[in-house]
Amino acid sequence: MGEMQHSEPQPQSKSWIKVEETGIDLVPDEERTGTPLQLFWIWCAANIGILGIVYGAIIVSFGLSLIQAVLAALVGVASFALVGYTSFAGQLGRTSTLTLSRAIFGLHGNIVPTAFGWFTLIGWEAVNVITGTMTLAAMFEALGFHSGTSLTTVSLLLFAGLTIVVSLLGQNILFQMQSWFSKIFGTMTLIVVIHILFNTPWSQVLNLPSGSWLTGFLPAVSVIAAGTGIGWTIAGADYSRYQRPTTPRTHIFSAVFIGACLPLVLLMLAGILLSSRLQDLAGSANPIALIGTVLPTWMAVPYLLTATAGIVTIAVLSLYSASLNLLTIGIRVRQSVAVSIDAVLMLSVSVYVLYISGDFLTPFISFLMFCGVFLSAWAAMFILDYLWLRRHHGYPAELLFGLNGKNRHTRWIPLCCWLLGAISGLMVTKTGFIDGPLAKGIFESSSLGIFIAFGISLIAYGLFLRLTPQEQRA
């Protein structure tokens, strides 16, 4: 098929540590031995990072009561249902998510959403490096080191170096790390949450005034959805493509949904409760360091250390999917070269935020909202395409790889359906650096752009499928 072959790690593999070259060919039947439990640990590891506590603080910053904040967290992480559906496509199509997207946009047309997906994942790599640097710095501060530029620099070099080294190793070691750190960090998180529960000023928390459902609750849901399920939709099939073809879809959905939501809800609850003791948590230049200050040293040091290791595995997941996107675009490079390119970009962004901007959460939320409108529009089309066509007709190889010259062109109408939804969402959204001209009135603070982008692309692509002759749909 002219694509680089990727060999997924199997339990029986004797080669545990090796530099791995990724690819997007269809997974051979003999390698489709994945289990829902493996998917559970992958998605648990991807969402058990300490950033979940910061999400909880962000929710409270919208002026919500305890009940509203918890409800916003639950509704926001429910967006992982989208990842569950993209995971179905991976089991059926046997290749990466944005390679399957070629069936919608054509090989040439799919370059645009794939390039945007790569840009998004690079942004997430930078977010992970920044978060990991802050976590390491917080651990050193808990040990008695003084905060400052030198400590930040040492933490950045240590974390970025560790991330790059692990990125060059095979997926066998990564999956082993994910399983172990999910269990270790999950246990530590439970201990921390119990500590927070017993030290929370409950009278203050329970008396938090209710905020606006339109200008407080909806923006909180939008930010959480953009940073969790919507942000991961472009990677769902990357990990489910090795699932056994006989595995029930309900098992795959449950593994993805529960694996991702369970740690996130727990962490966001901790962040919501911590905000009652740390009033500036959501606005701090280093919110992770503040989290460390409310924990005793014997608890803070091991917790932040395991959190750092957990963030490494999350960063590598983003890098793994980003390298697949480069192959889907048509850029064929060794993984070591892809890692080098990504490292330069993510370190540049990290240096800007840590040393120049001095503000983490403001650009982070802007990044989430900007990417969210494009990703939600794409997710609407991808899932509709799967439900309407692919689950019945599958993903023919000629559509995915242009065999015999088929589907190599740009399918302009689907591409316009995606851009129409995304641009419509941007028009009513304030992202911080691109403010939509229609972000006024009820849209000024509601962050409804993500939902509008999803709805418009869904309707537009649905009309296109409805009006397309049946023999051309499949």
Side-chain angles (χ1 to χ4, degrees):
M1 296 179 185
E3 305 287 353
M4 295 175 65
Q5 178 67 38
H6 167 62
S7 181
E8 183 75 5
Q10 301 303 328
Q12 68 272 23
S13 175
K14 296 180 180 180
S15 179
W16 192 55
I17 301 178
K18 64 179 181 178
V19 175
E20 183 180 13
E21 301 297 336
T22 60
I24 57 174
D25 273 351
L26 300 182
V27 177
D29 288 337
E30 62 271 16
E31 294 184 15
R32 301 178 70 189
T33 59
T35 64
L37 183 61
Q38 290 175 335
L39 272 185
F40 173 86
W41 288 122
I42 287 173
W43 288 109
C44 186
N47 292 279
I48 204 171
I50 199 169
L51 190 60
I53 295 180
V54 179
Y55 280 141
I58 291 175
I59 293 174
V60 175
S61 70
F62 285 97
L64 303 179
S65 66
L66 177 62
I67 294 177
Q68 287 178 314
V70 172
L71 185 60
L74 293 174
V75 175
V77 299
S79 59
F80 264 101
L82 302 177
V83 185
Y85 275 96
T86 59
S87 297
F88 295 161
Q91 182 194 33
L92 177 64
R94 296 187 295 154
T95 187
S96 63
T97 314
L98 282 161
T99 303
L100 297 173
S101 180
R102 288 173 170 177
I104 302 174
F105 302 102
L107 267 69
H108 292 161
N110 192 58
I111 290 175
V112 181
T114 303
F116 187 84
W118 177 79
F119 163 79
T120 301
L121 290 168
I122 292 295
W124 272 111
E125 288 175 31
V127 168
N128 291 325
V129 169
I130 294 166
T131 307
T133 300
M134 290 179 174
T135 305
L136 261 184
M139 186 193 71
F140 287 132
E141 289 179 31
L143 288 171
F145 290 87
H146 295 291
S147 61
T149 303
S150 298
L151 184 61
T152 300
T153 302
V154 171
S155 300
L156 174 61
L157 292 175
L158 285 174
F159 184 84
L162 182 61
T163 299
I164 293 170
V165 169
V166 175
S167 298
L168 292 172
L169 299 177
Q171 294 298 305
N172 286 315
I173 189 172
L174 174 60
F175 288 166
Q176 292 287 338
M177 289 173 60
Q178 288 168 339
S179 176
W180 279 106
F181 281 115
S182 293
K183 296 171 184 175
I184 295 172
F185 185 63
T187 302
M188 290 298 302
T189 299
L190 280 175
I191 295 173
V192 169
V193 170
I194 292 172
H195 174 81
I196 293 172
L197 286 173
F198 279 99
N199 291 274
T200 295
W202 285 102
S203 58
Q204 180 182 342
V205 172
L206 295 174
N207 289 324
L208 286 174
S210 297
S212 168
W213 290 96
L214 182 61
T215 60
F217 179 79
L218 281 180
V221 169
S222 298
V223 171
I224 300 306
T228 56
I230 291 175
W232 278 112
T233 52
I234 54 176
D238 298 356
Y239 305 102
S240 64
R241 56 187 175 147
Y242 289 91
Q243 289 292 298
R244 295 188 179 98
T246 56
T247 300
R249 289 186 301 171
T250 53
H251 293 182
I252 291 177
F253 185 90
S254 298
V256 173
F257 191 78
I258 297 175
C261 293
L262 186 62
L264 269 175
V265 170
L266 189 63
L267 288 163
M268 284 192 285
L269 175 62
I272 291 169
L273 297 179
L274 272 179
S275 294
S276 64
R277 300 173 61 187
L278 301 171
Q279 302 295 329
D280 298 328
L281 182 58
S284 172
N286 187 349
I288 311 299
L290 278 182
I291 294 171
T293 62
V294 300
L295 302 176
T297 302
W298 66 267
M299 184 184 296
V301 173
Y303 180 69
L304 294 172
L305 181 61
T306 55
T308 301
I311 297 171
V312 170
T313 64
I314 297 173
V316 175
L317 281 172
S318 297
L319 179 61
Y320 176 66
S321 292
S323 64
L324 293 176
N325 288 357
L326 284 179
L327 290 176
T328 303
I329 292 172
I331 301 176
R332 300 182 183 182
V333 295
R334 296 191 305 274
Q335 186 189 21
S336 57
V337 176
V339 169
S340 299
I341 295 172
D342 290 352
V344 171
L345 292 173
M346 72 181 182
L347 286 175
S348 298
V349 176
S350 302
V351 167
Y352 172 78
V353 172
L354 291 169
Y355 296 98
I356 300 175
S357 170
D359 180 8
F360 169 60
L361 288 180
T362 300
F364 174 58
I365 293 175
S366 297
F367 166 73
L368 292 182
M369 300 313 299
F370 175 76
C371 294
V373 294
F374 285 91
L375 295 180
S376 62
W378 174 88
M381 295 179 60
F382 187 87
I383 292 172
L384 179 61
D385 186 78
Y386 167 78
L387 293 174
W388 196 316
L389 296 177
R390 306 307 160 193
R391 66 173 178 169
H392 303 296
H393 302 286
Y395 290 92
E398 57 267 23
L399 292 183
L400 303 181
F401 302 103
L403 301 181
N404 301 319
K406 293 183 178 180
N407 202 37
R408 288 187 172 274
H409 60 288
T410 298
R411 301 187 69 198
W412 288 104
I413 295 180
L415 188 61
C416 288
C417 291
W418 174 59
L419 292 174
L420 177 63
I423 293 173
S424 299
L426 282 179
M427 294 286 283
V428 298
T429 301
K430 286 188 175 182
T431 64
F433 55 94
I434 298 179
D435 294 336
L438 300 181
K440 301 176 181 178
I442 63 171
F443 297 111
E444 184 173 2
S445 302
S446 64
S447 299
L448 290 172
I450 288 177
F451 306 112
I452 289 175
F454 186 94
I456 289 181
S457 287
L458 185 74
I459 293 171
Y461 189 55
L463 289 174
F464 167 72
L465 292 177
R466 184 72 176 177
L467 298 175
T468 301
Q470 185 174 359
E471 62 274 9
Q472 296 180 20
R473 294 177 187 170

